[in-house]
Amino acid sequence: MVHTRQNQSTLSKSQKKRFVDAVLAVKRTGRYDEFVRTHIDFYTGDGDGGLRVAHMAPSFFPWHRAFLLEFERALQRVDPSVTVPYWDWTVDRTPGASLWGADFLGGNGRRSDRRVTTGPFAAAHGAWTVKEAVTDGDFLMRDFGRPQDPVQLPGKDELAAAMQEPVYDAAPYNSLAPAGFRNKLEGWPVRRGDRTWYNHNRVHRWVSGHMLGAGSVNDPVFWLHHAFVDLCWSRWRERHPDAAPYLPATPPGIGDSQRHRVLALDETMPPWDTPVRAMLDHRSLYRYA
Ligand code: CU
Ligand code: CU
């Protein structure tokens, strides 16, 4: 059945509660921490050897689409009415946004140790112990805007700069790809000396705390962020109907530095063995409102 993912700012009070309750139920069974672990296990970067599937690679979008679908199905086994909402960070861009309310994801971390103290995922609530992490501390942490080294959420212009890219991805298909929608939206700085992070990466940095690294799934806002990233991918395809929907079409050849390091269109994505191609069109599974 095709379900609808909504903008989080349009959720009713009861929809927010159902989403939060389903997330907490998935956490109670231990399943949530398996999602965290999977993301940590697939946090392979350019500097690491071997295949990159989830990040710094063309399959960044299809891998996270499959990951979100699996999570959404876990939520729906708890409550079939729940879908993953999306957070349009070009619009809801302040710590005062309803997203961060005590009735939804809770607010910023406190200054001393970045611990989130409001909402259902606050440590004191007792339902959200961080177990799979790359940092110390078993409480959820946030540090909005990173005041010691301030960063803003990406705006409409920055997102538009990625959306107007005419090709999906470009050689060398990693964090240094100088052109292509994938790297512009994933958001790695490609010019020497540029320490700015763009779009998707900048949102992780703005939330900060657990959202910073491999363990970012520990913050439930991860899913709302990636649902919007997924929506942007969907919009990019609508805007560029004649562009190849995914590149590379075939695996890099002998002598290519990216051989066996990135997935081509008809290869399968671990850990699911889902073909990249199977994730190109979401419309038979879900739609965006
Ligand atoms: Cu990720
Ligand atoms: Cu991400």
Side-chain angles (χ1 to χ4, degrees):
M1 202 193 77
V2 179
H3 57 262
T4 300
R5 292 182 180 171
Q6 275 178 252
N7 186 319
Q8 59 79 27
S9 69
T10 69
L11 296 183
S12 68
K13 226 175 164 45
S14 84
Q15 283 178 311
K16 288 181 192 176
K17 182 170 178 351
R18 295 180 87 125
F19 174 76
V20 166
D21 286 350
V23 172
L24 293 176
V26 171
K27 177 76 170 175
R28 273 196 301 278
T29 65
R31 183 76 183 95
Y32 194 94
D33 292 309
E34 293 174 18
F35 284 102
V36 182
R37 176 43 58 187
T38 297
H39 193 264
I40 292 172
D41 290 345
F42 281 84
Y43 207 73
T44 306
D46 288 344
D48 306 309
L51 181 68
R52 300 185 310 279
V53 184
H55 308 98
M56 299 184 174
S59 48
F60 168 74
F61 291 105
W63 191 91
H64 284 87
R65 176 168 285 175
F67 192 52
L68 257 72
L69 266 173
E70 199 182 19
F71 177 67
E72 194 165 51
R73 286 174 184 140
L75 296 178
Q76 290 172 345
R77 280 193 286 274
V78 176
D79 182 343
S81 77
V82 170
T83 60
V84 177
Y86 64 89
W87 168 29
D88 182 345
W89 23 258
T90 68
V91 174
D92 298 303
R93 20 189 322 108
T94 66
S98 61
L99 173 65
W100 309 112
D103 62 343
F104 199 20
L105 300 190
N108 199 3
R110 65 186 180 191
R111 183 168 276 194
S112 57
D113 59 0
R114 293 176 288 157
R115 181 191 306 241
V116 171
T117 60
T118 57
F121 307 102
H125 194 268
W128 202 259
T129 304
V130 172
K131 293 184 177 142
E132 298 282 349
V134 291
T135 49
D136 294 340
D138 63 359
F139 48 86
L140 179 62
M141 293 186 281
R142 291 175 185 148
D143 190 18
F144 292 164
R146 226 177 37 178
Q148 76 285 7
D149 181 14
V151 61
Q152 300 277 318
L153 283 167
K156 288 187 187 301
D157 290 357
E158 192 173 311
L159 179 57
M163 297 299 284
Q164 71 193 26
E165 279 290 309
V167 295
Y168 175 75
D169 205 346
Y173 299 116
N174 59 13
S175 72
L176 296 172
F181 168 66
R182 191 275 309 166
N183 203 28
K184 293 259 162 86
L185 206 288
E186 190 178 0
W188 301 104
V190 299
R191 282 179 302 277
R192 191 183 292 273
D194 181 0
R195 291 186 63 249
T196 312
W197 309 85
Y198 299 94
N199 288 310
H200 154 268
N201 280 335
R202 187 114 64 85
V203 175
H204 280 275
R205 288 191 174 248
W206 184 86
V207 178
S208 210
H210 277 103
M211 273 288 273
L212 270 186
S216 50
V217 177
N218 279 304
D219 192 329
V221 81
F222 172 92
W223 306 104
L224 286 78
H225 171 35
H226 270 276
F228 185 60
V229 168
D230 188 79
L231 170 56
C232 291
W233 181 29
S234 178
R235 284 180 182 157
W236 180 84
R237 286 209 55 200
E238 280 171 21
R239 199 166 302 178
H240 303 274
D242 300 325
Y246 183 87
L247 292 168
T250 54
I254 295 168
D256 190 312
S257 67
Q258 296 304 312
R259 186 171 168 82
H260 302 312
R261 304 211 57 200
V262 298
L263 291 177
L265 179 59
D266 284 306
E267 295 184 292
T268 59
M269 297 184 290
W272 312 285
D273 293 325
T274 301
V276 168
R277 187 188 283 280
M279 285 294 110
L280 295 189
D281 192 343
H282 64 81
R283 289 171 301 180
S284 65
L285 301 166
Y286 58 88
R287 284 166 199 273
Y288 285 103

